[in-house]
Every structure is written in C-alpha cells, then in structure tokens.
Amino acid sequence: MAAPLSVQVEFGGGAELLFDGVKKHQVTLPGQEEPWDIRNLLVWIKKNLLKERPELFIRGDSVRPGILVLVNDADWELLGELDYQLQDQDSILFISTLHGG
Amino acid sequence: MPAPQCASCHKARAALRRPRSGQALCTTCFCASFEAEVLHTVVAGRLLPPGAVVAVGASGGKDSTVLAHVLRELAPHLGISLHLVAVDEGIGGYRDAALAAVRRQAARWELPLTVVAYAELFGGWTMDAVARSTAGSGRSRSCCTFCGVLRRRALEEGARRVGATHVVTGHNADDMAETVLMNFLRGDAGRLARGGGLGSPGEGGALPRCRPLQLASQKEVVLYAHFRRLDYFSEECVYAPEAFRGHARDLLKLLEAARPSAVLDLVHSAERLALAPAARPPPPGACSRCGALASRALCQACALLDGLNRGRPRLAIGKGRRGLDEEGPPGRRGSHSRPDPPLRSPSPASRDSSSPLGSDDVGVRGRL
C-alpha cells in the first residue's frame, strides 16, 4: 500500500520532445496498492505524460537503451534501477543520449 | 537501496559507476576523473604538443561541447590555443539552430569561431541539395555517406583558414565502436585497416587529427555535461533516422546492456586487427584533382562531388573499385587486379571544376 507521492519528473537531451517540449513536470502520484517504484512510474508516465511515439522512450518495462535515468542526480544503476522505491520530493531525470554530438 | 559512498573521497554520495573500472564516484570526483583521463589521453599520446593551434570541430552537440569545455580548462596546462570551427552543411531546420548554440558557446567561453559552409566550399552543394539528388536512388538514403566525407573536408579547410596545426573532434568510445561495427558490416577493409589508433598523423599534407574523448563512453560524456551544467544542442539531424549508423547504434546498445565493456572492447579489437595480405589497401597517393590523400585517382570528396555534378550520385559510393567501375569502358579484361580505369572526361552538359573547394561550378546550381 503506497501513499501518494509528490515528485519532479524531468526530461532532457531531446527526450522532452516526446512530452510536448516540457522539461520539468511536478507530479503527484496517487496512493495505490502497489509501491511506487521506477517500474510503476514508467507505466504512469506512459499513460499520463507521454504525448507521442512511446517506442522512443520505453522498451518493454524499462526505458529504451540510450536513455539515462538519474534519481536525485545519481545514476539509477546505483539504486536498483527499476526496483528503486520512490520517496516524496524525489527528482527523476531522463536524459536521452540518442543524437549526434 | 541508498547510493554507495564515493570510492575516491569517501565523503559524498556516489553519483555513478565508471563503466571501465566499476568505481562508484560522486559528481566532483567523477568530473575530476573524466578531465584527468582526457589530459592523460592527450599527454600520453603526444596528441597536442605545446604551442599547438587546435581547431575544435564544434557542432553544438553534446560531444563537441564537452570536448571544447574540457580542452579550454586544460589549455593553459597544455600550452595550446583553441579555435572553434563549425561546419554548416546546409540542412534547413536543423543546422541553423545548432549553429546558434555554437555561437552562444563561443561567446560564453570567449573562443574565436569560424563557420565554413558546404554551399561555399562545394559549389553550391548543400546537404539538402544532396539529399534531393540522392532521393529515390533505392535502398536507404545515402546522403549521410556524402556528409561524412564532405564534413571532414570542410573541417580541414576551416582549420587551415585559422592557421591550425591540429584538428580535434569529439568522437566518444560509442562512436568509435559503432564505426568498427559499420566497417565490418559493410566489408570495408580499407577503413578497418586504418581504424583504431588515437588519431591520424596527417599523411599527405592533411592536418594531424585526434579524438581526445575516444576513451570516454557516451554515457559519461552526457553525465559530465549534465553535472557541469553545459548547454548543448540535442536534436537529431533530420536525415539521421535513415543513416546506416542507426543500425550499428541499436546493435551496440543491446550489446552494451548485456556486457558494458563491449563498447571499449570493440575499439581495442579493431586497433589490434591485422588484415590478410590480399585485403590490405594499396599505399595511398594524391588526388589527381585537389592533391589530397587518396587511394584511387580521385579522393573521396572529389569523387562524390563528381558523381553529384554528373547527375550520377551513386558513382563513388560502394566499396573498392565498384563505384568507379561503373564508368569504365566496356570490353575490358575481367581480372580484378587491373588498375582503376581512367575517368572519362565530363560531358559538356556538366561543367568540370578544377577544384571542389571554392568552385563556382555553374552547372551545379541548376540542381538546387
């Protein structure tokens, strides 16, 4: 049983183009049965924020390879990736690396 | 689970794990480690000696932004001076916005900036014009093949204009690995033979060229830019979705997910590759038209422009002899070891240019 959470979801490196060009989203996740982890956050994002071409952001139950995920400025690899349990006021940033340099 | 402690300073929380060493570092220690690695790459490889005037290929994108930022920090230590060179390929709706980012960077960093345009260098052939000319040639769009060759030539020209002694580009480890895959997938023995290594020493009069970021993974470049709050342009070129590199990139991302060291391992494999004698390319000579390094009668840039100007854009695309063979007279011997047939002189309808650089070939403009 998860309480409602207030988090900031941010997109960069071009990923924002899939979200109407909006980089920062202040989001309130509703209370629900299942815990709020990144896995469930992605499902929520796909349903509520993603405006177009989901295949460019999500593959399977994770992000498309080439999209970096930072939680409070730390690589999600260090935090358990999809299994990381979100805390209130967390900041989750998705940066796309899929473009020329 | 909470993030581990930084393995270097043991004070701050770790922000990422460096792919090569597996070390967990905080943002400060990571940035310092990243910069130290670039410095080491340059110094150990003697890439940019003191007094070097370095032309930095600047596209406004993440890699060249990080490259310019780091080199600017290291410049006093290395005793080098920097000059940004941006190439305008003439891609509407893309390059203008990217150039705006470069201009902002030049102003912020107080670095001189020179812009060289395809339209000026290549007789009016912007990438948009090339794309129109190559559209409908079947298979995937080949305009990116042109861009790769012409952009390098344009960068070289820009570097000469500013009196540079060296050219640097922001290619990262992922770019290098993708190139290795592409060369294998296309059976490009010539490029595989030249592949790997930290840079080209500048044969045939070309300026020495190197890639100080080539040991850094793309992920680290992006994270460095993020932690240093660097402003860069992050849109994809409008033609990129159709470029062959996309396939190599997708494959590399899948490989990396399974085995993170695959990226650097691929680059190291290419460096250690030895080709069978029959596959080794002939020693390069000079382009008969512009004098640049060339393994055939014409260098790649001249051959590609030739094809465009004659309305036969696919003329010089394709491996080894196949491209030029399209032009060979009929009834020749079938042996594969024959020398390249001489190009027939151009028809009156397509004006020949004495040099692709700075040409004012009137015949081309009709195709724009």
Side-chain angles (χ1 to χ4, degrees):
Chain A
M1 181 58 208
L5 287 180
S6 182
V7 295
Q8 177 168 275
V9 177
E10 242 188 289
F11 302 100
E16 66 273 21
L17 296 173
L18 303 174
F19 298 89
D20 263 344
V22 178
K23 287 193 174 181
K24 292 194 195 201
H25 303 249
Q26 203 57 45
V27 157
T28 304
L29 302 172
Q32 62 171 24
E33 270 302 317
E34 285 140 44
W36 278 114
D37 54 18
I38 306 266
R39 187 179 282 107
N40 290 333
L41 176 66
L42 286 179
V43 174
W44 187 92
I45 288 177
K46 184 172 176 184
K47 205 164 113 186
N48 296 283
L49 288 183
L50 194 50
K51 296 295 175 208
E52 55 180 288
R53 302 200 288 171
E55 73 279 5
L56 292 186
F57 185 70
I58 290 189
R59 185 178 295 180
D61 67 347
S62 186
V63 287
R64 183 182 171 204
I67 299 205
L68 307 183
V69 186
L70 297 183
V71 181
N72 304 326
D73 254 14
D75 188 351
W76 74 337
E77 260 179 37
L78 294 175
L79 304 168
E81 295 195 7
L82 291 171
D83 296 321
Y84 170 76
Q85 306 284 311
L86 294 176
Q87 318 269 319
D88 198 53
Q89 303 308 315
D90 268 352
S91 175
I92 305 100
L93 167 61
F94 298 92
I95 314 182
S96 172
T97 68
L98 302 164
H99 51 80
Chain B
M1 70 208 195
Q5 272 233 312
C6 175
S8 178
C9 70
H10 306 288
K11 285 194 292 222
R13 197 178 49 108
L16 78 160
R17 206 178 284 283
R18 292 217 70 180
R20 242 187 339 161
S21 60
Q23 235 195 352
L25 299 176
C26 67
T27 57
T28 311
C29 293
F30 163 66
C31 288
S33 169
F34 185 93
E35 287 156 6
E37 190 171 77
V38 174
L39 178 61
H40 176 79
T41 299
V42 169
V43 169
R46 290 189 236 272
L47 300 179
L48 305 174
V53 177
V54 181
V56 181
S59 65
K62 60 190 186 337
D63 302 304
S64 58
T65 297
V66 167
L67 174 68
H69 172 88
V70 174
L71 283 184
R72 186 171 166 274
E73 304 274 302
L74 299 177
H77 183 105
L78 293 170
I80 61 177
S81 61
L82 302 177
H83 201 121
L84 299 178
V85 176
V87 175
D88 179 2
E89 307 98 333
I91 301 175
Y94 168 71
R95 188 41 77 192
D96 325 291
L99 282 179
V102 181
R103 293 199 165 94
R104 281 198 303 273
Q105 290 169 354
R108 189 175 321 123
W109 292 328
E110 294 173 318
L111 288 178
L113 165 65
T114 297
V115 180
V116 278
Y118 278 15
E120 179 226 326
L121 288 183
F122 305 128
W125 279 109
T126 61
M127 269 318 291
D128 285 340
V130 173
R132 281 192 293 274
S133 182
T134 56
S137 305
R139 296 193 273 167
S140 55
R141 193 192 283 279
S142 51
C143 64
C144 301
T145 304
F146 287 81
C147 201
V149 173
L150 297 180
R151 190 170 54 247
R152 277 155 181 77
R153 182 56 60 88
L155 185 55
E156 174 93 15
E157 174 62 20
R160 284 195 191 287
R161 284 185 187 177
V162 305
T165 55
H166 295 72
V167 177
V168 296
T169 53
H171 294 92
N172 57 51
D174 294 52
D175 296 324
M176 310 292 294
E178 285 164 15
T179 299
V180 171
L181 281 178
M182 285 166 70
N183 291 338
F184 269 111
L185 292 170
R186 292 188 310 211
D188 196 328
R191 286 204 173 92
L192 281 171
R194 294 193 295 273
L198 278 173
S200 34
E203 307 150 333
L207 289 173
R209 185 186 280 255
C210 66
R211 298 168 286 238
L213 298 183
Q214 78 173 67
L215 294 181
S217 73
Q218 177 161 260
K219 171 172 170 174
E220 292 178 302
V221 171
V222 172
L223 289 180
Y224 181 87
H226 171 72
F227 294 139
R228 287 282 194 234
R229 308 279 180 253
L230 300 180
D231 156 51
Y232 61 85
F233 181 72
S234 58
E235 280 179 36
E236 202 177 40
C237 175
V238 295
Y239 298 117
E242 296 157 68
F244 183 61
R245 182 172 289 266
H247 297 292
R249 179 168 298 159
D250 289 343
L251 180 56
L252 188 70
K253 286 290 138 206
L254 290 175
L255 290 170
E256 190 185 21
R259 191 165 187 275
S261 62
V263 175
L264 275 173
D265 290 343
L266 259 174
V267 179
H268 287 147
S269 298
E271 281 172 357
R272 287 159 179 72
L273 207 58
L275 293 189
R280 288 186 207 134
C287 174
S288 57
R289 194 170 292 167
C290 73
L293 199 68
S295 47
R296 300 196 284 274
L298 287 188
C299 71
Q300 273 209 295
C302 288
L304 288 176
L305 288 167
D306 226 41
L308 285 171
N309 288 335
R310 297 184 195 193
R312 300 278 308 278
R314 301 200 67 78
L315 189 64
I317 298 178
K319 59 185 175 188
R321 308 170 185 292
R322 200 182 299 144
L324 288 174
D325 282 358
E326 287 179 35
E327 285 283 291
R332 283 214 133 209
R333 301 180 304 276
S335 157
H336 281 291
S337 60
R338 67 186 176 202
D340 292 308
L343 292 179
R344 57 159 205 254
S345 38
S347 64
S350 75
R351 188 85 55 84
D352 193 10
S353 46
S354 54
S355 162
L357 298 178
S359 154
D360 60 347
D361 186 341
V362 174
V364 167
R365 290 192 199 117
R367 300 193 200 290
L368 294 181

